[in-house]
Amino acid sequence: MYSILKAEKLNENIYLMIVKAPRVAKHCLPGQFLIVKLDEKGERIPLTICDYDREQGTVTIVFQPVGASTEAMTALQTGDSFMDVVGPLGNPSELITGDLEETRKKKILFVAGGVGTAPVYPQVKWLHEHGVDADVIVGAKTKDLIILEKEMEAVAGNLYITTDDGSYGRSGMVTKVIEDLVAEGKQYDVCVSIGPMIMMKFCCLTTKKFDIPTIVSMNPIMVDGTGMCGACRLSVGDEIKFACVDGPEFDGHLIDFDEAMKRQQMYKTEEGRALLRLREGKTHHGGCGNCGGDN
Ligand code: NAD
Ligand code: FES
């Protein structure tokens, strides 16, 4: 069992937990995710790692209830446990695994949207600890939905907060802040954008205009996180990739976001999964157990 050492409600709809999981904490790196299971019959829930403490053997997860299993997770309190915590899974961010001297020469911009602030934080923190202070834009609908502000402030070069309704920080969506920063004379060699799919799509359209290579995290389309279900299939340039095994991070300028978002909707129904199986043939894994996949 994996004890929950701290369970905190960050705001109306976002929850943070610190979980004792020494093996995951020992090996994980920013950009990777883990899978939690509440009990024997529980669904596998893939969640990006928000922070880790190798000495304490703990990992921090931040989540928003989006279905029955994550809703059930919201009832867990300090002292409760998960039956299983598996990880680390997926590939670490390429800014973390790449040549550090090259990374130090780069001007990096992170764009975090809503709950996507959680997976951005460990990357910015790791870079800060290795002498790279990146600029960070954090966007949320309204002031109450901003998370991890103090933590981010401590590790970011410059932190730009924005709210859609102008209730805190700058006013407008994250893409407006990118435009404003470039107009103010800022130059970036790379952008990392993590948040809702629609935000990542529009960030990529914006950064493409300014010729800023952009990395995105395709966590939102994962279902089982193991390469079995086929839910996270996506087109990256002319290649077919699976977010959970090939990613979760990809070159955002090569991703077909419209196809990924449409597919995500289709995958939610049995009929949609059957249609995907028909269209995708052998590249549809079918591990969801519902459509028969490519058997
Ligand atoms: P949200 O809808 O409140 O959006 C957050 C911010 O994104 C907004 O404040 C805005 O600045 C920006 N944004 C939204 N739509 C935009 C658009 N059309 N153009 C430009 N900017 C736009 O975010 P939320 O409700 O906290 O997000 C929940 C989503 O985040 C879930 O769907 C979840 O799957 C996703 N998520 C993604 C990751 C990841 O790894 N990519 C991680 C955690 C959560
Ligand atoms: Fe990637 Fe299921 S989430 S195949």
Side-chain angles (χ1 to χ4, degrees):
M1 299 296 271
Y2 297 80
S3 309
I4 298 167
L5 304 184
K6 180 178 174 185
E8 185 186 354
K9 193 170 177 178
L10 295 182
N11 61 36
E12 198 188 317
N13 211 22
I14 305 180
Y15 297 77
L16 175 148
M17 284 177 185
I18 298 180
V19 184
K20 188 90 181 167
R23 263 178 303 153
V24 183
K26 189 171 174 193
H27 300 290
C28 66
L29 283 171
Q32 291 186 294
F33 67 97
L34 50 72
I35 288 177
V36 298
K37 248 180 101 170
L38 284 171
D39 50 44
E40 198 66 58
K41 289 186 184 154
E43 260 184 296
R44 302 162 65 90
I45 309 171
L47 295 165
T48 337
I49 297 166
C50 168
D51 203 359
Y52 52 88
D53 185 324
R54 300 207 201 282
E55 276 178 24
Q56 299 294 320
T58 59
V59 288
T60 304
I61 49 176
V62 170
F63 66 96
Q64 198 177 32
V66 287
S69 302
T70 37
E71 186 63 45
M73 269 176 73
T74 65
L76 295 176
Q77 301 292 329
T78 304
D80 290 338
S81 315
F82 287 104
M83 194 199 83
D84 220 350
V85 177
V86 181
L89 297 164
N91 301 300
S93 160
E94 60 179 70
L95 285 174
I96 307 299
T97 53
D99 182 332
L100 188 56
E101 284 315 311
E102 285 304 311
T103 305
R104 285 196 175 120
K105 289 180 201 154
K106 288 184 177 155
K107 292 199 173 64
I108 307 170
L109 175 66
F110 282 87
V111 183
V115 197
T117 308
V120 164
Y121 174 67
Q123 297 199 28
V124 180
K125 181 180 173 187
W126 189 96
L127 288 169
H128 174 71
E129 288 169 350
H130 291 80
V132 186
D133 283 340
D135 282 0
V136 182
I137 301 171
V138 171
K141 287 192 190 81
T142 183
K143 184 181 181 196
D144 298 344
L145 297 177
I146 297 282
I147 57 168
L148 304 172
E149 182 184 356
K150 281 201 176 68
E151 290 83 350
M152 200 68 97
E153 209 162 45
V155 291
N158 295 294
L159 176 62
Y160 306 96
I161 304 251
T162 187
T163 47
D164 298 2
D165 65 358
S167 55
Y168 190 56
R170 297 183 177 216
S171 177
M173 292 190 176
V174 290
T175 39
K176 180 172 181 296
V177 184
I178 302 175
E179 303 256 6
D180 290 348
L181 292 179
V182 172
E184 287 163 23
K186 288 269 190 180
Q187 288 181 338
Y188 295 105
D189 301 306
V190 61
C191 170
V192 180
S193 168
I194 306 184
M197 295 273 277
I198 191 75
M199 178 202 101
M200 296 190 289
K201 173 187 165 173
F202 281 97
C203 271
C204 286
L205 290 172
T206 306
T207 55
K208 210 166 188 172
K209 270 195 321 201
F210 301 123
D211 219 9
I212 308 170
T214 299
I215 301 163
V216 297
S217 171
M218 296 303 281
N219 248 300
I221 57 172
M222 287 186 200
V223 173
D224 74 346
T226 61
M228 290 295 290
C229 71
C232 67
R233 182 188 198 269
L234 75 158
S235 301
V236 184
D238 50 14
E239 289 184 284
I240 297 297
K241 299 280 185 189
F242 288 84
C244 64
V245 286
D246 301 317
E249 295 190 353
F250 296 98
D251 178 342
H253 291 171
L254 292 182
I255 287 187
D256 186 336
F257 282 100
D258 292 336
E259 179 195 71
M261 287 188 279
K262 203 166 154 196
R263 201 179 178 283
Q264 190 183 23
Q265 284 311 312
M266 285 177 74
Y267 198 87
K268 287 182 181 160
T269 66
E270 206 165 313
E271 203 187 352
R273 287 191 292 269
L275 184 59
L276 289 172
R277 176 201 167 197
L278 201 69
R279 283 185 187 163
E280 295 169 357
K282 286 193 171 133
T283 62
H284 183 77
H285 292 196
C288 60
N290 292 304
C291 65
D294 54 2
N295 294 328

